[in-house]
Amino acid sequence: MKRSYRILVCNKRAFTLVELLVVIAIIGVLVGLLLPAVQAAREAARRMSCSNNLAQLGLATHNYEFSMEHLPSGVINPDGPIRSEPIGQHVSYLVQLLRYVEQQGIADNFDVDAGAYADANAAVRSMVVTTFHCPSSAWTMNEDESAALTNYAGCHHHEEAPIAADNTGLLHLNSKVRYGEIYDGSSNTILFGEMLPYGNSLGWVSGTRATLRNTGTLINASNVGKGGRVGRELPEGADELWVGGFASHHPGGAQFCFADGSIRFLTDTIDPDFYKNLGHHADGAMMGGDF
């Protein structure tokens, strides 16, 4: 009996080097197109989280006002003007809001009378509070790791000037502004906004330029120069009385919480005079319209 055999020949065609390089090039192009979209999506998420932090601070400020019948002081200190150096009481508005952002434990461990720089308050001074920090910022501590930072500053004045009792913003030295005293309207007055802390910042417990800024300097302008827009260097010529303006890591401007609790993104190309009016709570300017 004869047996027949069939030989199966496998004739598979392999990739050529040219085809492989073409595929790699296509994948590279797709990844190059995808990465900016992923980065944009991440920045949008960080910006939304930052906006939520501002909203929580706005709500906390309203609750504080309901309880105390006035807004918190921008800084508590026996006298002024305030110098950005670790001397004095310098208790910031953020310390006063701790109980209203569900940080009762931290508030109970802070001695207001002892002041921001007392040894008794060292543990609180180095405490990182997520609500006080923008997720787009890479820094949570100052350069010598002695104080935790914040990216949200109260508006103390409508021009570049030392922090004092006669400032025109809602949060300044020993201020106790009532909502009825906001002549220009709460929807037309900045309560606080984003800022970039400098490397030698005194931290969120300190009511200095570490937690207060003004609208006399355009958005992002006070961080231009040595170190760049997102740098941590002070501008040349800035002394202990210099305060500075608002800024952020978000492209094109910064987010602000107004006295009515609304969160708005203001561009860094905003009209300077209009911007100053937003920092003054009773200048009588006729604002009108949307911005």
Side-chain angles (χ1 to χ4, degrees):
M1 182 176 179
K2 294 183 179 181
R3 295 181 180 179
S4 61
Y5 297 92
R6 286 191 299 175
I7 300 175
L8 298 177
V9 178
C10 184
N11 188 23
K12 292 184 178 180
R13 183 173 178 270
F15 283 109
T16 65
L17 179 60
V18 173
E19 290 173 329
L20 181 60
L21 292 175
V22 169
V23 171
I24 293 174
I26 292 173
I27 292 174
V29 171
L30 292 176
V31 170
L33 293 174
L34 182 62
L35 281 178
V38 172
Q39 292 173 348
R42 287 178 175 174
E43 169 55 25
R46 289 192 293 264
R47 179 170 160 177
M48 183 175 295
S49 178
C50 177
S51 175
N52 182 60
N53 288 343
L54 284 167
Q56 289 188 54
L57 289 175
L59 179 60
T61 305
H62 277 232
N63 289 335
Y64 182 99
E65 197 274 340
F66 293 154
S67 298
M68 308 300 292
E69 297 186 349
H70 60 77
L71 297 176
S73 301
V75 51
I76 298 173
N77 200 67
D79 53 20
I82 300 298
R83 301 177 66 87
S84 291
E85 53 189 8
I87 300 174
Q89 190 177 12
H90 289 183
V91 176
S92 74
Y93 80 95
L94 289 173
V95 172
Q96 299 163 64
L97 291 180
L98 283 172
R99 301 182 191 279
Y100 301 89
V101 291
E102 299 185 339
Q103 296 295 339
Q104 182 78 28
I106 300 178
D108 288 342
N109 284 279
F110 187 88
D111 188 339
V112 174
D113 294 330
Y117 317 114
D119 291 339
N121 292 325
V124 173
R125 192 163 57 249
S126 61
M127 184 72 63
V128 176
V129 181
T130 304
T131 307
F132 299 164
H133 184 253
C134 173
S136 291
S137 177
W139 303 303
T140 57
M141 300 291 291
N142 61 1
E143 290 175 340
D144 62 8
E145 300 290 320
S146 64
L149 303 175
T150 181
N151 293 106
Y152 308 117
C155 183
H156 79 97
H157 202 45
H158 72 288
E159 292 182 338
E160 175 55 49
I163 301 165
D166 60 351
N167 290 161
T168 60
L170 294 178
L171 303 173
H172 52 270
L173 175 59
N174 298 326
S175 58
K176 294 183 178 180
V177 180
R178 297 170 178 263
Y179 266 94
E181 297 173 335
I182 308 177
Y183 180 82
D184 294 342
S186 59
S187 62
N188 296 320
T189 308
I190 292 173
L191 182 56
F192 36 73
E194 290 188 87
M195 64 94 173
L196 300 181
Y198 296 104
N200 64 351
S201 172
L202 297 173
W204 63 263
V205 302
S206 174
T208 57
R209 61 171 166 244
T211 55
L212 295 171
R213 296 295 173 92
N214 58 71
T215 56
T217 304
L218 279 177
I219 300 169
N220 291 327
S222 60
N223 286 74
V224 173
K226 188 177 181 182
R229 184 175 72 85
V230 295
R232 307 183 76 183
E233 300 284 346
L234 282 169
E236 293 184 9
D239 59 13
E240 289 81 3
L241 290 173
W242 184 85
V243 183
F246 296 94
S248 84
H249 290 284
H250 309 303
Q255 298 190 104
F256 291 82
C257 177
F258 283 70
D260 65 346
S262 63
I263 310 301
R264 307 179 203 178
F265 186 84
L266 301 183
T267 66
D268 48 22
T269 58
I270 189 171
D271 178 76
D273 292 331
F274 180 72
Y275 184 50
K276 286 182 179 180
N277 290 338
L278 295 177
H280 196 309
H281 75 277
D283 58 7
M286 294 186 293
M287 307 298 283
D290 298 324
F291 54 90

